[in-house]
Amino acid sequence: MEANRRTFLKAAGLTAASANRILGANGRVNAAFIGMGRMGRENLRYAAGQENLNVAAVCDVYELNLNKAAELAKKKFPDVRSIRDFREILADKSIDVVCISTPDNWHAYMTVEACKAGKDVYVEKPVSVTVEEARKMVEAARKYNRVVQAGTMQRSAAHFQKAVEIIKSGELGQITTVHCWNYGNMPVEGIGNPADSDPPEGLDWDMWLGPAPKRPFNVNRFGVDPNDKWFAHFRWFWEYAGGMMTDWGVHWIDIVQFAFDEAMPTVINCVGGKWRLKDNRETPDTIHASYEYASGCLVTYENRYGNAQSMFNKGGGILFNGDKATMFVDRSEYRIIPERRPRRPMAAPPKGQPQGTPAEEITQVKSTDSGNARHWANFLECVKSRERPNSDIEKCARSSVTCILANVALRSHQRLDWDHQKWTVRQGEAKKFLSREERKPWRINV
């Protein structure tokens, strides 16, 4: 058994000493959390519920968030340290894993540097701001033999896993269209138009910007609500994120590609713009993205802020449309609606069956868990086994890039042909949107 263990560790690029360090004392791993806003504290709560994890440190450039996280962590881990500079965590050899819940503009740099420092990583979605950054994250995980779990936790929720199993079984028949959406009706003033100002006390604004261009502080670019009523508004600015397409769209597209055996689209189109909201956000308030997959399926994602009416009275979700049945799935449930028997268009329905009514009853299965706790359990299990987790970085890189490409198509006004082997597009005019120049000293080197 010991000989087999040594062979396994060698194949994984690990020494017995490094594996023992990963396991930690009494089978526990030491974890540090970077980025302690609302999402960071959510991750802290779910991780703290795992029996084999010790929270050693929390880190944030904003003192208010740092103090909130420290107060939360000390309820169970009284020795937790509060740190302002994430580089101190990466240099600490006692830290086994890091959770990165910063704004998106930091995800790639921190993940690559954590991998280089010999640490396993749980990184929030979308994994990056650009296609090139996502590629480097996968490269770093493989080069340094690290376990990297992305925060698309729906992959670990039981009802999503069952829904994907049903789709792969062929129960829905041939699926030629899939529709994903997020709908809402927001007042036209949106998040407002605050003037640039000095940053709040306790915030290192230059460190918050990190790889992004230097900009004066604006409360919407930062976008943190001290009362935690909303998630930060940085999501609506191109230099830090990708709007609803990458923030929410990635959750739905990730499940679609989970069901499609991780295939990526071959053709991407996207239309839309900022047509309703009068605030200072940069990303669109109305968007329609379409993807063609080689299997012969058209996938669409739609977001709007001017009308909340939707199918099944749901603000968001996915419809898989097969020739045998349609499946609706969101975080609360999945439903299967059988198709009528195929017949010619305009033909009369069978006697006694109204037009549009399925011949069989709808199957409805409610969610039993959010997926968050199971996602963390899966990550920590893989930290020990060295297997790839449910949302391995390569899987989420594919889903994130699929969403990023919609934004590239929108901003370049190009129909894109995607080469998933070379991770690039054929349209030269669009290629400038696939990468960015990181601000010194935060350039990514794998």
Side-chain angles (χ1 to χ4, degrees):
M1 179 66 72
E2 182 60 27
N4 290 339
R5 179 173 180 269
R6 285 195 299 268
T7 299
F8 169 78
L9 292 172
K10 183 177 180 181
L14 298 167
T15 64
S18 65
N20 288 334
R21 185 185 66 77
I22 288 170
L23 292 176
N26 300 318
R28 304 183 85 189
V29 297
N30 281 327
F33 291 74
I34 305 171
M36 302 314 306
R38 181 172 169 178
M39 193 66 242
R41 295 195 299 278
E42 294 247 344
N43 276 319
L44 177 60
R45 289 186 184 94
Y46 285 110
Q50 305 297 320
E51 294 182 358
N52 56 343
L53 179 139
N54 174 61
V55 178
V58 291
C59 175
D60 202 284
V61 298
Y62 185 34
E63 188 174 4
L64 178 64
N65 283 346
L66 184 62
N67 291 342
K68 286 182 179 179
E71 181 181 359
L72 176 64
K74 285 181 178 179
K75 294 177 181 178
K76 186 174 181 179
F77 308 99
D79 296 327
V80 67
R81 291 175 289 143
S82 296
I83 295 172
R84 296 293 297 270
D85 192 327
F86 74 94
R87 290 170 291 189
E88 185 178 335
I89 286 174
L90 299 188
D92 187 342
K93 296 186 183 300
S94 71
I95 301 295
D96 304 313
V97 304
V98 295
C99 174
I100 301 168
S101 304
T102 62
D104 306 353
N105 59 301
W106 269 114
H107 289 178
Y109 182 89
M110 288 185 180
T111 297
V112 170
E113 291 300 307
C115 288
K116 289 161 70 174
K119 304 184 191 307
D120 295 322
V121 181
Y122 185 112
V123 60
E124 265 307 322
K125 59 78 209 165
V127 298
S128 65
V129 174
T130 70
V131 171
E132 179 65 11
E133 287 177 347
R135 185 190 64 77
K136 288 182 177 180
M137 294 168 82
V138 176
E139 181 184 347
R142 301 298 181 250
K143 180 177 180 179
Y144 300 104
N145 297 305
R146 306 323 307 162
V147 173
V148 182
Q149 172 94 297
T152 41
M153 76 293 179
Q154 293 177 166
R155 283 187 181 239
S156 294
H159 81 289
F160 273 111
Q161 292 179 342
K162 181 61 178 178
V164 168
E165 180 185 323
I166 290 169
I167 293 165
K168 290 184 175 182
S169 75
E171 185 174 327
L172 305 185
Q174 182 185 3
I175 298 172
T176 51
T177 61
V178 179
H179 182 56
C180 313
W181 74 94
N182 292 105
Y183 297 153
N185 197 338
M186 180 181 289
V188 294
E189 59 267 24
I191 58 176
N193 287 279
D196 294 342
S197 64
D198 293 330
E201 184 179 354
L203 171 64
D204 185 338
W205 176 240
D206 188 71
M207 193 67 161
W208 186 95
L209 289 171
K214 191 172 182 63
R215 296 279 184 256
F217 176 82
N218 186 279
V219 68
N220 274 352
R221 285 180 176 268
F222 181 50
V224 171
D225 172 25
N227 299 314
D228 292 329
K229 293 180 180 178
W230 61 73
F231 287 98
H233 296 325
F234 70 83
R235 294 164 169 81
W236 320 133
F237 294 85
W238 291 122
E239 291 172 349
Y240 322 125
M244 283 292 284
M245 186 70 247
T246 60
D247 190 62
W248 251 107
V250 70
H251 280 302
W252 304 137
I253 295 296
D254 187 63
I255 294 299
V256 172
Q257 295 189 171
F258 184 14
F260 287 2
D261 292 321
E262 314 305 339
M264 293 183 73
T266 56
V267 177
I268 302 96
N269 284 282
C270 190
V271 293
K274 187 181 173 188
W275 297 334
R276 172 175 169 77
L277 302 178
K278 308 302 181 183
D279 53 27
N280 68 340
R281 80 180 65 208
E282 297 171 346
T283 58
D285 57 32
T286 308
I287 193 170
H288 184 95
S290 62
Y291 303 97
E292 295 179 29
Y293 285 78
S295 61
C297 186
L298 175 66
V299 176
T300 59
Y301 172 78
E302 185 179 5
N303 171 238
R304 65 180 183 237
Y305 284 107
N307 181 282
Q309 295 300 315
S310 66
M311 291 161 282
F312 303 103
N313 196 30
K314 296 281 189 172
I318 314 172
L319 278 177
F320 291 89
N321 302 304
D323 60 4
K324 294 181 181 178
T326 293
M327 174 185 284
F328 166 78
V329 61
D330 70 354
R331 292 183 177 177
S332 67
E333 63 177 337
Y334 70 79
R335 303 183 201 177
I336 300 175
I337 305 98
E339 279 286 289
R340 300 181 303 276
R341 292 181 180 179
R343 61 178 184 271
R344 293 179 180 178
M346 305 305 294
K351 187 176 181 179
Q353 181 185 325
Q355 180 76 32
T357 302
E360 301 176 37
E361 292 186 1
I362 295 173
T363 299
Q364 186 173 15
V365 175
K366 294 290 186 179
S367 168
T368 57
D369 64 276
S370 69
N372 286 284
R374 287 161 57 99
H375 210 51
W376 268 96
N378 170 253
F379 172 56
L380 295 175
E381 180 183 337
C382 291
V383 166
K384 294 182 179 182
S385 70
R386 312 313 295 166
E387 295 178 358
R388 292 183 184 174
N390 288 345
S391 190
D392 173 66
I393 183 60
E394 186 170 356
K395 295 176 180 178
C396 197
R398 286 170 172 261
S399 300
S400 298
V401 166
T402 297
C403 295
I404 291 168
L405 288 171
N407 283 336
V408 172
L410 179 76
R411 299 176 74 188
S412 67
H413 306 285
Q414 296 285 310
R415 171 191 181 275
L416 304 180
D417 296 290
W418 173 247
D419 184 338
H420 74 276
Q421 297 292 338
K422 297 180 179 179
W423 272 53
T424 191
V425 295
R426 295 180 185 173
Q427 289 70 26
E429 301 90 337
K431 289 185 178 180
K432 67 180 180 181
F433 293 103
L434 302 184
S435 62
R436 63 173 176 167
E437 184 177 354
E438 300 99 355
R439 190 164 62 106
K440 292 181 180 179
W442 311 115
R443 292 179 178 168
I444 302 172
N445 295 301
V446 178

